[in-house]
Amino acid sequence: MDDDVLLAEQMAYYRAGAAEYDRPYAEHEDLRRLLAVVDDLPIAGDVLELACGTGQWTSLLAARAHTVTAVDAASEVLALARARTASPAVQFIEADLFEWQPPRRYDTVFFAFWLSHVPPTRLPDFWNTVATALAPGGKAVFIDDGPAVAAGEEVLANQPTPAVLRRLDDGSQYRIVKVFHDIQTLTDDLTALGWSVGIWPMGGNFIGIAEPPTTPGKPATAPAS
C-alpha cells in the first residue's frame, strides 16, 4: 500500500469524523490526565502546534505561551478548534504537514498523537522539519500512544506501513497510519538523527522532550532498523 494512498485515506477519516474526534477525551481518564500534564512541560514563548485537531491542547498551550500557531490539514476539525479557542494569541493554519514548511522559528514545537500517524519512511524528513522550526534553545514536546494501546485497535497485519482500521458512527471504515512507538527504539532513532531526547511512559502513552541537532536542516538518514 503506497504511503500517499494511506495518508489520503487517513485525511478522509479525520475530515469525516470531526464530530467524533473528541469522544476519546470524554471516555478515557488517561487522556484527561495527559491534558493536565501540560503545565509541567517546557511550553513557553512562541509555540508551533502540529496537527492541532479540534484544539483539545491548543488553549492549554496558549495559557503558557506568548503565541500559538496551530496547524492542521482538515478544515472540519479546525472549525471546531477555532470555536473552542478564544485566545487572541492563537493563529490557525490549514496545511498538509507533509508539505508545509514553517515560515519562521518557534521556541516550542508541540504535537500530541501525531507522531504515530507519520509513516516510518517519512520520519527523518519530519524531524528535520521540526528542527528547522525551532529557534536556538528550543524544544520539541510530544505525546503519543505506546505499544500497549495497540490492544484497543484493529491492527492490520502484513502492511508495508503500520496501519489500523478505524470505523465511524455511520459505518464507514478507513485505514490510517498508526505506529505504536516503543520508547527505547524511538529514543535510539532520534539519537541516531542527532537529537537529545528524554521520553517517559504515562499509562499506555508516553511523553517526550527533545532538543534538535546543532545543525538543523542538514538532511538526515533513516536509522538502521
Side-chain angles (χ1 to χ4, degrees):
M1 180 168 34
D2 181 81
D3 280 352
D4 289 336
V5 173
L6 185 56
L7 289 171
E9 196 165 331
Q10 177 170 281
M11 169 66 70
Y13 166 74
Y14 281 107
R15 295 189 66 180
E20 302 171 33
Y21 186 101
D22 290 334
R23 187 176 298 162
Y25 288 92
E27 295 177 346
H28 299 289
E29 186 179 348
D30 285 353
L31 288 178
R32 295 193 295 275
R33 281 202 296 266
L34 279 173
L35 288 168
V37 169
V38 168
D39 283 344
D40 299 323
L41 298 175
I43 308 294
D46 294 319
V47 175
L48 173 63
E49 181 185 9
L50 302 177
C52 67
T54 60
Q56 283 280 354
W57 303 85
T58 310
S59 59
L60 300 175
L61 300 175
R64 297 183 56 83
H66 178 62
T67 65
V68 177
T69 301
V71 185
D72 202 285
S75 58
E76 291 83 354
V77 297
L78 279 174
L80 296 172
R82 289 188 178 98
R84 71 164 7 129
T85 307
S87 173
V90 178
Q91 175 192 12
F92 290 99
I93 296 175
E94 182 181 339
D96 183 341
L97 290 176
F98 293 108
E99 298 178 358
W100 182 74
Q101 291 295 317
R104 50 159 296 188
R105 291 189 171 194
Y106 300 84
D107 302 297
T108 310
V109 176
F110 176 89
F111 39 102
F113 302 103
W114 168 245
L115 187 63
S116 57
H117 295 315
V118 178
T121 57
R122 302 194 183 203
L123 276 175
D125 284 344
F126 170 72
W127 284 108
N128 274 340
T129 297
V130 175
T132 57
L134 283 168
K139 293 179 173 63
V141 179
F142 50 97
I143 296 171
D144 219 309
D145 293 318
V149 180
E153 294 271 14
E154 190 170 340
V155 178
L156 298 174
N158 303 316
Q159 302 294 315
T161 298
V164 300
L165 189 69
R166 294 269 183 90
R167 292 179 173 83
L168 296 177
D169 288 348
D170 64 4
S172 59
Q173 57 186 33
Y174 302 83
R175 297 166 301 178
I176 68 169
V177 178
K178 192 65 178 176
V179 184
F180 297 97
H181 289 283
D182 169 76
I183 288 177
Q184 188 59 58
T185 302
L186 181 57
T187 300
D188 292 344
D189 288 349
L190 276 169
T191 300
L193 293 173
W195 288 74
S196 301
V197 58
I199 307 174
W200 65 95
M202 185 169 179
N205 309 109
F206 62 78
I207 300 170
I209 300 171
E211 297 182 46
T214 54
T215 55
K218 181 180 179 180
T221 56
S225 58

mmCIF file of all heavy atoms in Angstrom, residues 165-215:
data_model
loop_
_atom_site.group_PDB
_atom_site.id
_atom_site.type_symbol
_atom_site.label_atom_id
_atom_site.label_comp_id
_atom_site.label_asym_id
_atom_site.label_seq_id
_atom_site.Cartn_x
_atom_site.Cartn_y
_atom_site.Cartn_z
ATOM 1 N N LEU A 165 -7.362 -0.118 11.284
ATOM 2 C CA LEU A 165 -8.655 0.149 10.663
ATOM 3 C C LEU A 165 -9.533 0.859 11.681
ATOM 4 O O LEU A 165 -9.703 0.370 12.805
ATOM 5 C CB LEU A 165 -9.320 -1.158 10.217
ATOM 6 C CG LEU A 165 -10.586 -1.021 9.365
ATOM 7 C CD1 LEU A 165 -10.238 -0.461 7.983
ATOM 8 C CD2 LEU A 165 -11.290 -2.377 9.226
ATOM 9 N N ARG A 166 -10.076 2.001 11.303
ATOM 10 C CA ARG A 166 -10.976 2.764 12.173
ATOM 11 C C ARG A 166 -12.365 2.842 11.529
ATOM 12 O O ARG A 166 -12.476 2.934 10.296
ATOM 13 C CB ARG A 166 -10.441 4.177 12.386
ATOM 14 C CG ARG A 166 -9.121 4.251 13.153
ATOM 15 C CD ARG A 166 -9.346 4.387 14.637
ATOM 16 N NE ARG A 166 -8.084 4.520 15.384
ATOM 17 C CZ ARG A 166 -7.498 5.687 15.656
ATOM 18 N NH1 ARG A 166 -8.026 6.829 15.222
ATOM 19 N NH2 ARG A 166 -6.381 5.710 16.354
ATOM 20 N N ARG A 167 -13.398 2.836 12.365
ATOM 21 C CA ARG A 167 -14.778 2.927 11.886
ATOM 22 C C ARG A 167 -15.466 4.142 12.505
ATOM 23 O O ARG A 167 -15.241 4.450 13.680
ATOM 24 C CB ARG A 167 -15.554 1.664 12.239
ATOM 25 C CG ARG A 167 -15.092 0.422 11.490
ATOM 26 C CD ARG A 167 -15.888 -0.817 11.908
ATOM 27 N NE ARG A 167 -15.556 -1.966 11.086
ATOM 28 C CZ ARG A 167 -14.505 -2.766 11.278
ATOM 29 N NH1 ARG A 167 -13.686 -2.515 12.296
ATOM 30 N NH2 ARG A 167 -14.269 -3.781 10.489
ATOM 31 N N LEU A 168 -16.309 4.788 11.727
ATOM 32 C CA LEU A 168 -17.092 5.921 12.214
ATOM 33 C C LEU A 168 -18.524 5.476 12.498
ATOM 34 O O LEU A 168 -18.938 4.369 12.137
ATOM 35 C CB LEU A 168 -17.067 7.050 11.178
ATOM 36 C CG LEU A 168 -15.686 7.650 10.911
ATOM 37 C CD1 LEU A 168 -15.777 8.704 9.805
ATOM 38 C CD2 LEU A 168 -15.099 8.264 12.181
ATOM 39 N N ASP A 169 -19.290 6.350 13.134
ATOM 40 C CA ASP A 169 -20.649 6.003 13.538
ATOM 41 C C ASP A 169 -21.541 5.623 12.365
ATOM 42 O O ASP A 169 -22.496 4.855 12.523
ATOM 43 C CB ASP A 169 -21.290 7.181 14.288
ATOM 44 C CG ASP A 169 -20.700 7.381 15.667
ATOM 45 O OD1 ASP A 169 -19.964 6.490 16.139
ATOM 46 O OD2 ASP A 169 -20.968 8.437 16.286
ATOM 47 N N ASP A 170 -21.250 6.163 11.177
ATOM 48 C CA ASP A 170 -22.083 5.853 10.019
ATOM 49 C C ASP A 170 -21.724 4.527 9.363
ATOM 50 O O ASP A 170 -22.289 4.156 8.334
ATOM 51 C CB ASP A 170 -22.015 6.985 8.982
ATOM 52 C CG ASP A 170 -20.618 7.163 8.406
ATOM 53 O OD1 ASP A 170 -19.710 6.373 8.731
ATOM 54 O OD2 ASP A 170 -20.434 8.116 7.611
ATOM 55 N N GLY A 171 -20.783 3.797 9.945
ATOM 56 C CA GLY A 171 -20.389 2.502 9.417
ATOM 57 C C GLY A 171 -19.235 2.547 8.433
ATOM 58 O O GLY A 171 -18.700 1.499 8.062
ATOM 59 N N SER A 172 -18.837 3.734 8.017
ATOM 60 C CA SER A 172 -17.716 3.842 7.089
ATOM 61 C C SER A 172 -16.424 3.448 7.796
ATOM 62 O O SER A 172 -16.292 3.603 9.010
ATOM 63 C CB SER A 172 -17.604 5.258 6.530
ATOM 64 O OG SER A 172 -17.424 6.199 7.574
ATOM 65 N N GLN A 173 -15.487 2.920 7.048
ATOM 66 C CA GLN A 173 -14.226 2.485 7.645
ATOM 67 C C GLN A 173 -13.045 3.009 6.830
ATOM 68 O O GLN A 173 -13.143 3.194 5.620
ATOM 69 C CB GLN A 173 -14.171 0.968 7.779
ATOM 70 C CG GLN A 173 -14.362 0.187 6.502
ATOM 71 C CD GLN A 173 -14.436 -1.310 6.765
ATOM 72 O OE1 GLN A 173 -14.941 -1.754 7.803
ATOM 73 N NE2 GLN A 173 -13.906 -2.100 5.851
ATOM 74 N N TYR A 174 -11.963 3.249 7.555
ATOM 75 C CA TYR A 174 -10.798 3.887 6.951
ATOM 76 C C TYR A 174 -9.530 3.254 7.511
ATOM 77 O O TYR A 174 -9.453 2.942 8.698
ATOM 78 C CB TYR A 174 -10.774 5.386 7.281
ATOM 79 C CG TYR A 174 -11.980 6.149 6.838
ATOM 80 C CD1 TYR A 174 -13.135 6.162 7.623
ATOM 81 C CD2 TYR A 174 -11.984 6.882 5.651
ATOM 82 C CE1 TYR A 174 -14.262 6.880 7.227
ATOM 83 C CE2 TYR A 174 -13.086 7.604 5.252
ATOM 84 C CZ TYR A 174 -14.226 7.599 6.036
ATOM 85 O OH TYR A 174 -15.330 8.307 5.641
ATOM 86 N N ARG A 175 -8.524 3.134 6.672
ATOM 87 C CA ARG A 175 -7.194 2.733 7.111
ATOM 88 C C ARG A 175 -6.396 3.998 7.398
ATOM 89 O O ARG A 175 -6.435 4.952 6.622
ATOM 90 C CB ARG A 175 -6.496 1.916 6.021
ATOM 91 C CG ARG A 175 -7.198 0.604 5.678
ATOM 92 C CD ARG A 175 -6.652 0.026 4.383
ATOM 93 N NE ARG A 175 -6.838 0.973 3.277
ATOM 94 C CZ ARG A 175 -6.425 0.758 2.029
ATOM 95 N NH1 ARG A 175 -5.782 -0.366 1.731
ATOM 96 N NH2 ARG A 175 -6.633 1.649 1.087
ATOM 97 N N ILE A 176 -5.699 3.981 8.511
ATOM 98 C CA ILE A 176 -4.843 5.117 8.850
ATOM 99 C C ILE A 176 -3.483 4.608 9.307
ATOM 100 O O ILE A 176 -3.353 3.482 9.784
ATOM 101 C CB ILE A 176 -5.464 6.005 9.953
ATOM 102 C CG1 ILE A 176 -5.519 5.264 11.288
ATOM 103 C CG2 ILE A 176 -6.857 6.498 9.552
ATOM 104 C CD1 ILE A 176 -5.861 6.159 12.461
ATOM 105 N N VAL A 177 -2.468 5.429 9.140
ATOM 106 C CA VAL A 177 -1.140 5.101 9.663
ATOM 107 C C VAL A 177 -1.203 5.092 11.187
ATOM 108 O O VAL A 177 -1.787 5.991 11.801
ATOM 109 C CB VAL A 177 -0.101 6.146 9.199
ATOM 110 C CG1 VAL A 177 1.275 5.831 9.795
ATOM 111 C CG2 VAL A 177 -0.035 6.211 7.681
ATOM 112 N N LYS A 178 -0.633 4.081 11.800
ATOM 113 C CA LYS A 178 -0.563 4.058 13.264
ATOM 114 C C LYS A 178 0.664 3.266 13.687
ATOM 115 O O LYS A 178 0.698 2.037 13.603
ATOM 116 C CB LYS A 178 -1.836 3.449 13.872
ATOM 117 C CG LYS A 178 -1.951 3.661 15.371
ATOM 118 C CD LYS A 178 -2.105 5.123 15.756
ATOM 119 C CE LYS A 178 -2.270 5.300 17.255
ATOM 120 N NZ LYS A 178 -2.329 6.719 17.653
ATOM 121 N N VAL A 179 1.670 4.000 14.133
ATOM 122 C CA VAL A 179 2.922 3.406 14.587
ATOM 123 C C VAL A 179 2.953 3.498 16.108
ATOM 124 O O VAL A 179 3.004 4.597 16.662
ATOM 125 C CB VAL A 179 4.137 4.135 13.980
ATOM 126 C CG1 VAL A 179 5.428 3.430 14.407
ATOM 127 C CG2 VAL A 179 4.034 4.203 12.463
ATOM 128 N N PHE A 180 2.918 2.375 16.776
ATOM 129 C CA PHE A 180 2.951 2.358 18.241
ATOM 130 C C PHE A 180 4.425 2.313 18.672
ATOM 131 O O PHE A 180 5.011 1.255 18.853
ATOM 132 C CB PHE A 180 2.167 1.166 18.779
ATOM 133 C CG PHE A 180 0.710 1.211 18.425
ATOM 134 C CD1 PHE A 180 0.225 0.507 17.333
ATOM 135 C CD2 PHE A 180 -0.175 1.989 19.155
ATOM 136 C CE1 PHE A 180 -1.127 0.549 16.996
ATOM 137 C CE2 PHE A 180 -1.527 2.048 18.826
ATOM 138 C CZ PHE A 180 -1.998 1.328 17.738
ATOM 139 N N HIS A 181 5.002 3.483 18.828
ATOM 140 C CA HIS A 181 6.434 3.583 19.079
ATOM 141 C C HIS A 181 6.820 3.022 20.441
ATOM 142 O O HIS A 181 6.220 3.375 21.460
ATOM 143 C CB HIS A 181 6.880 5.044 19.006
ATOM 144 C CG HIS A 181 6.876 5.616 17.630
ATOM 145 N ND1 HIS A 181 7.865 5.337 16.706
ATOM 146 C CD2 HIS A 181 5.997 6.452 16.999
ATOM 147 C CE1 HIS A 181 7.596 5.975 15.573
ATOM 148 N NE2 HIS A 181 6.478 6.658 15.719
ATOM 149 N N ASP A 182 7.825 2.186 20.438
ATOM 150 C CA ASP A 182 8.468 1.735 21.664
ATOM 151 C C ASP A 182 9.420 2.837 22.136
ATOM 152 O O ASP A 182 10.149 3.428 21.330
ATOM 153 C CB ASP A 182 9.247 0.445 21.379
ATOM 154 C CG ASP A 182 10.146 0.044 22.521
ATOM 155 O OD1 ASP A 182 9.626 -0.479 23.525
ATOM 156 O OD2 ASP A 182 11.375 0.271 22.408
ATOM 157 N N ILE A 183 9.386 3.148 23.423
ATOM 158 C CA ILE A 183 10.164 4.274 23.948
ATOM 159 C C ILE A 183 11.652 4.134 23.646
ATOM 160 O O ILE A 183 12.299 5.079 23.188
ATOM 161 C CB ILE A 183 9.928 4.435 25.461
ATOM 162 C CG1 ILE A 183 8.516 4.984 25.714
ATOM 163 C CG2 ILE A 183 10.976 5.366 26.086
ATOM 164 C CD1 ILE A 183 8.157 5.108 27.179
ATOM 165 N N GLN A 184 12.225 2.960 23.905
ATOM 166 C CA GLN A 184 13.662 2.793 23.701
ATOM 167 C C GLN A 184 14.025 2.900 22.226
ATOM 168 O O GLN A 184 15.018 3.538 21.862
ATOM 169 C CB GLN A 184 14.134 1.458 24.260
ATOM 170 C CG GLN A 184 15.660 1.314 24.246
ATOM 171 C CD GLN A 184 16.352 2.407 25.043
ATOM 172 O OE1 GLN A 184 16.095 2.574 26.234
ATOM 173 N NE2 GLN A 184 17.221 3.182 24.399
ATOM 174 N N THR A 185 13.214 2.285 21.366
ATOM 175 C CA THR A 185 13.504 2.344 19.931
ATOM 176 C C THR A 185 13.395 3.767 19.411
ATOM 177 O O THR A 185 14.243 4.226 18.637
ATOM 178 C CB THR A 185 12.544 1.424 19.161
ATOM 179 O OG1 THR A 185 12.683 0.087 19.652
ATOM 180 C CG2 THR A 185 12.855 1.441 17.665
ATOM 181 N N LEU A 186 12.359 4.480 19.849
ATOM 182 C CA LEU A 186 12.200 5.870 19.424
ATOM 183 C C LEU A 186 13.356 6.730 19.928
ATOM 184 O O LEU A 186 13.872 7.584 19.193
ATOM 185 C CB LEU A 186 10.860 6.420 19.922
ATOM 186 C CG LEU A 186 10.529 7.868 19.550
ATOM 187 C CD1 LEU A 186 10.562 8.076 18.040
ATOM 188 C CD2 LEU A 186 9.170 8.269 20.121
ATOM 189 N N THR A 187 13.770 6.499 21.158
ATOM 190 C CA THR A 187 14.918 7.229 21.711
ATOM 191 C C THR A 187 16.170 6.962 20.876
ATOM 192 O O THR A 187 16.908 7.895 20.526
ATOM 193 C CB THR A 187 15.160 6.818 23.167
ATOM 194 O OG1 THR A 187 13.999 7.123 23.950
ATOM 195 C CG2 THR A 187 16.356 7.554 23.754
ATOM 196 N N ASP A 188 16.397 5.703 20.545
ATOM 197 C CA ASP A 188 17.573 5.346 19.750
ATOM 198 C C ASP A 188 17.510 5.967 18.356
ATOM 199 O O ASP A 188 18.531 6.462 17.836
ATOM 200 C CB ASP A 188 17.690 3.823 19.629
ATOM 201 C CG ASP A 188 18.026 3.147 20.953
ATOM 202 O OD1 ASP A 188 18.463 3.846 21.890
ATOM 203 O OD2 ASP A 188 17.839 1.921 21.039
ATOM 204 N N ASP A 189 16.326 5.949 17.746
ATOM 205 C CA ASP A 189 16.181 6.511 16.405
ATOM 206 C C ASP A 189 16.435 8.015 16.403
ATOM 207 O O ASP A 189 17.110 8.547 15.514
ATOM 208 C CB ASP A 189 14.786 6.222 15.851
ATOM 209 C CG ASP A 189 14.586 4.759 15.477
ATOM 210 O OD1 ASP A 189 15.588 4.010 15.459
ATOM 211 O OD2 ASP A 189 13.436 4.366 15.205
ATOM 212 N N LEU A 190 15.895 8.711 17.401
ATOM 213 C CA LEU A 190 16.108 10.152 17.478
ATOM 214 C C LEU A 190 17.567 10.478 17.782
ATOM 215 O O LEU A 190 18.128 11.432 17.221
ATOM 216 C CB LEU A 190 15.194 10.759 18.549
ATOM 217 C CG LEU A 190 13.776 11.084 18.089
ATOM 218 C CD1 LEU A 190 12.888 11.416 19.286
ATOM 219 C CD2 LEU A 190 13.783 12.227 17.109
ATOM 220 N N THR A 191 18.183 9.693 18.633
ATOM 221 C CA THR A 191 19.592 9.903 18.934
ATOM 222 C C THR A 191 20.437 9.717 17.673
ATOM 223 O O THR A 191 21.385 10.475 17.423
ATOM 224 C CB THR A 191 20.047 8.934 20.037
ATOM 225 O OG1 THR A 191 19.266 9.164 21.223
ATOM 226 C CG2 THR A 191 21.509 9.147 20.378
ATOM 227 N N ALA A 192 20.078 8.729 16.858
ATOM 228 C CA ALA A 192 20.796 8.489 15.611
ATOM 229 C C ALA A 192 20.645 9.656 14.644
ATOM 230 O O ALA A 192 21.524 9.898 13.804
ATOM 231 C CB ALA A 192 20.300 7.199 14.965
ATOM 232 N N LEU A 193 19.555 10.393 14.769
ATOM 233 C CA LEU A 193 19.337 11.576 13.934
ATOM 234 C C LEU A 193 19.960 12.836 14.536
ATOM 235 O O LEU A 193 19.815 13.926 13.977
ATOM 236 C CB LEU A 193 17.833 11.795 13.714
ATOM 237 C CG LEU A 193 17.115 10.737 12.867
ATOM 238 C CD1 LEU A 193 15.610 10.988 12.866
ATOM 239 C CD2 LEU A 193 17.651 10.719 11.445
ATOM 240 N N GLY A 194 20.625 12.692 15.679
ATOM 241 C CA GLY A 194 21.344 13.817 16.271
ATOM 242 C C GLY A 194 20.598 14.563 17.355
ATOM 243 O O GLY A 194 21.090 15.578 17.866
ATOM 244 N N TRP A 195 19.408 14.075 17.743
ATOM 245 C CA TRP A 195 18.617 14.752 18.772
ATOM 246 C C TRP A 195 19.060 14.321 20.172
ATOM 247 O O TRP A 195 19.509 13.200 20.382
ATOM 248 C CB TRP A 195 17.136 14.420 18.596
ATOM 249 C CG TRP A 195 16.481 15.066 17.414
ATOM 250 C CD1 TRP A 195 16.632 14.721 16.105
ATOM 251 C CD2 TRP A 195 15.582 16.172 17.439
ATOM 252 N NE1 TRP A 195 15.876 15.544 15.303
ATOM 253 C CE2 TRP A 195 15.226 16.443 16.091
ATOM 254 C CE3 TRP A 195 15.047 16.961 18.456
ATOM 255 C CZ2 TRP A 195 14.355 17.475 15.753
ATOM 256 C CZ3 TRP A 195 14.171 17.985 18.115
ATOM 257 C CH2 TRP A 195 13.827 18.243 16.775
ATOM 258 N N SER A 196 18.869 15.224 21.129
ATOM 259 C CA SER A 196 18.971 14.890 22.545
ATOM 260 C C SER A 196 17.549 14.707 23.047
ATOM 261 O O SER A 196 16.725 15.621 22.902
ATOM 262 C CB SER A 196 19.666 16.008 23.321
ATOM 263 O OG SER A 196 20.969 16.231 22.815
ATOM 264 N N VAL A 197 17.239 13.567 23.629
ATOM 265 C CA VAL A 197 15.840 13.255 23.886
ATOM 266 C C VAL A 197 15.656 12.527 25.209
ATOM 267 O O VAL A 197 16.499 11.734 25.627
ATOM 268 C CB VAL A 197 15.254 12.410 22.713
ATOM 269 C CG1 VAL A 197 16.070 11.126 22.532
ATOM 270 C CG2 VAL A 197 13.785 12.094 22.913
ATOM 271 N N GLY A 198 14.541 12.828 25.871
ATOM 272 C CA GLY A 198 14.095 12.085 27.035
ATOM 273 C C GLY A 198 12.635 11.731 26.844
ATOM 274 O O GLY A 198 11.829 12.602 26.498
ATOM 275 N N ILE A 199 12.282 10.469 27.015
ATOM 276 C CA ILE A 199 10.902 10.012 26.830
ATOM 277 C C ILE A 199 10.541 9.151 28.030
ATOM 278 O O ILE A 199 11.336 8.306 28.457
ATOM 279 C CB ILE A 199 10.740 9.186 25.529
ATOM 280 C CG1 ILE A 199 11.275 9.967 24.314
ATOM 281 C CG2 ILE A 199 9.278 8.816 25.306
ATOM 282 C CD1 ILE A 199 11.283 9.160 23.020
ATOM 283 N N TRP A 200 9.359 9.366 28.592
ATOM 284 C CA TRP A 200 8.941 8.558 29.725
ATOM 285 C C TRP A 200 7.481 8.141 29.551
ATOM 286 O O TRP A 200 6.681 8.828 28.920
ATOM 287 C CB TRP A 200 9.140 9.313 31.034
ATOM 288 C CG TRP A 200 8.297 10.544 31.226
ATOM 289 C CD1 TRP A 200 7.113 10.636 31.878
ATOM 290 C CD2 TRP A 200 8.595 11.871 30.747
ATOM 291 N NE1 TRP A 200 6.645 11.927 31.868
ATOM 292 C CE2 TRP A 200 7.540 12.708 31.179
ATOM 293 C CE3 TRP A 200 9.644 12.424 30.018
ATOM 294 C CZ2 TRP A 200 7.506 14.070 30.876
ATOM 295 C CZ3 TRP A 200 9.611 13.785 29.722
ATOM 296 C CH2 TRP A 200 8.551 14.583 30.151
ATOM 297 N N PRO A 201 7.122 6.991 30.122
ATOM 298 C CA PRO A 201 5.751 6.494 29.979
ATOM 299 C C PRO A 201 4.793 7.187 30.927
ATOM 300 O O PRO A 201 5.173 7.639 32.014
ATOM 301 C CB PRO A 201 5.891 5.011 30.335
ATOM 302 C CG PRO A 201 7.032 4.971 31.300
ATOM 303 C CD PRO A 201 7.981 6.049 30.868
ATOM 304 N N MET A 202 3.544 7.264 30.502
ATOM 305 C CA MET A 202 2.460 7.709 31.386
ATOM 306 C C MET A 202 1.242 6.881 31.014
ATOM 307 O O MET A 202 0.590 7.137 30.003
ATOM 308 C CB MET A 202 2.183 9.199 31.236
ATOM 309 C CG MET A 202 1.151 9.698 32.222
ATOM 310 S SD MET A 202 1.051 11.506 32.266
ATOM 311 C CE MET A 202 -0.250 11.712 33.500
ATOM 312 N N GLY A 203 0.971 5.866 31.819
ATOM 313 C CA GLY A 203 -0.059 4.909 31.457
ATOM 314 C C GLY A 203 0.369 4.185 30.179
ATOM 315 O O GLY A 203 1.520 3.789 30.029
ATOM 316 N N GLY A 204 -0.548 4.055 29.238
ATOM 317 C CA GLY A 204 -0.218 3.436 27.962
ATOM 318 C C GLY A 204 0.374 4.398 26.964
ATOM 319 O O GLY A 204 0.665 4.005 25.823
ATOM 320 N N ASN A 205 0.555 5.636 27.372
ATOM 321 C CA ASN A 205 1.078 6.672 26.484
ATOM 322 C C ASN A 205 2.516 7.009 26.856
ATOM 323 O O ASN A 205 3.082 6.435 27.777
ATOM 324 C CB ASN A 205 0.201 7.930 26.580
ATOM 325 C CG ASN A 205 -1.265 7.629 26.404
ATOM 326 O OD1 ASN A 205 -2.040 7.700 27.367
ATOM 327 N ND2 ASN A 205 -1.662 7.254 25.205
ATOM 328 N N PHE A 206 3.107 7.943 26.132
ATOM 329 C CA PHE A 206 4.424 8.435 26.506
ATOM 330 C C PHE A 206 4.506 9.927 26.233
ATOM 331 O O PHE A 206 3.754 10.481 25.432
ATOM 332 C CB PHE A 206 5.540 7.685 25.772
ATOM 333 C CG PHE A 206 5.528 7.817 24.273
ATOM 334 C CD1 PHE A 206 6.000 8.953 23.627
ATOM 335 C CD2 PHE A 206 5.048 6.773 23.488
ATOM 336 C CE1 PHE A 206 5.986 9.070 22.246
ATOM 337 C CE2 PHE A 206 5.035 6.873 22.103
ATOM 338 C CZ PHE A 206 5.504 8.022 21.480
ATOM 339 N N ILE A 207 5.421 10.573 26.936
ATOM 340 C CA ILE A 207 5.688 11.999 26.778
ATOM 341 C C ILE A 207 7.168 12.151 26.469
ATOM 342 O O ILE A 207 8.012 11.513 27.105
ATOM 343 C CB ILE A 207 5.329 12.773 28.058
ATOM 344 C CG1 ILE A 207 3.852 12.597 28.396
ATOM 345 C CG2 ILE A 207 5.669 14.259 27.904
ATOM 346 C CD1 ILE A 207 3.460 13.126 29.764
ATOM 347 N N GLY A 208 7.477 12.979 25.488
ATOM 348 C CA GLY A 208 8.867 13.179 25.114
ATOM 349 C C GLY A 208 9.238 14.646 25.033
ATOM 350 O O GLY A 208 8.401 15.495 24.704
ATOM 351 N N ILE A 209 10.475 14.937 25.357
ATOM 352 C CA ILE A 209 11.056 16.275 25.190
ATOM 353 C C ILE A 209 12.374 16.083 24.457
ATOM 354 O O ILE A 209 13.205 15.264 24.871
ATOM 355 C CB ILE A 209 11.287 16.964 26.549
ATOM 356 C CG1 ILE A 209 9.964 17.113 27.307
ATOM 357 C CG2 ILE A 209 11.950 18.320 26.349
ATOM 358 C CD1 ILE A 209 10.131 17.593 28.743
ATOM 359 N N ALA A 210 12.550 16.808 23.372
ATOM 360 C CA ALA A 210 13.750 16.604 22.558
ATOM 361 C C ALA A 210 14.322 17.935 22.103
ATOM 362 O O ALA A 210 13.586 18.884 21.835
ATOM 363 C CB ALA A 210 13.412 15.732 21.349
ATOM 364 N N GLU A 211 15.632 17.987 22.027
ATOM 365 C CA GLU A 211 16.346 19.143 21.504
ATOM 366 C C GLU A 211 17.053 18.735 20.223
ATOM 367 O O GLU A 211 17.643 17.655 20.149
ATOM 368 C CB GLU A 211 17.337 19.669 22.536
ATOM 369 C CG GLU A 211 16.662 20.171 23.801
ATOM 370 C CD GLU A 211 17.663 20.742 24.796
ATOM 371 O OE1 GLU A 211 18.538 21.518 24.362
ATOM 372 O OE2 GLU A 211 17.559 20.402 25.982
ATOM 373 N N PRO A 212 17.022 19.586 19.197
ATOM 374 C CA PRO A 212 17.492 19.191 17.875
ATOM 375 C C PRO A 212 19.004 19.160 17.750
ATOM 376 O O PRO A 212 19.724 19.641 18.636
ATOM 377 C CB PRO A 212 16.911 20.282 16.972
ATOM 378 C CG PRO A 212 16.851 21.483 17.860
ATOM 379 C CD PRO A 212 16.495 20.949 19.223
ATOM 380 N N PRO A 213 19.480 18.601 16.642
ATOM 381 C CA PRO A 213 20.919 18.657 16.369
ATOM 382 C C PRO A 213 21.385 20.110 16.312
ATOM 383 O O PRO A 213 20.592 21.029 16.092
ATOM 384 C CB PRO A 213 21.045 17.983 14.999
ATOM 385 C CG PRO A 213 19.793 17.182 14.840
ATOM 386 C CD PRO A 213 18.732 17.909 15.591
ATOM 387 N N THR A 214 22.675 20.306 16.473
ATOM 388 C CA THR A 214 23.200 21.673 16.472
ATOM 389 C C THR A 214 23.184 22.282 15.086
ATOM 390 O O THR A 214 23.318 23.488 14.934
ATOM 391 C CB THR A 214 24.639 21.694 17.012
ATOM 392 O OG1 THR A 214 25.433 20.765 16.254
ATOM 393 C CG2 THR A 214 24.649 21.282 18.476
ATOM 394 N N THR A 215 23.014 21.449 14.047
ATOM 395 C CA THR A 215 22.934 21.961 12.675
ATOM 396 C C THR A 215 21.617 21.525 12.053
ATOM 397 O O THR A 215 21.579 20.649 11.199
ATOM 398 C CB THR A 215 24.105 21.453 11.813
ATOM 399 O OG1 THR A 215 24.132 20.010 11.880
ATOM 400 C CG2 THR A 215 25.412 22.016 12.300
#
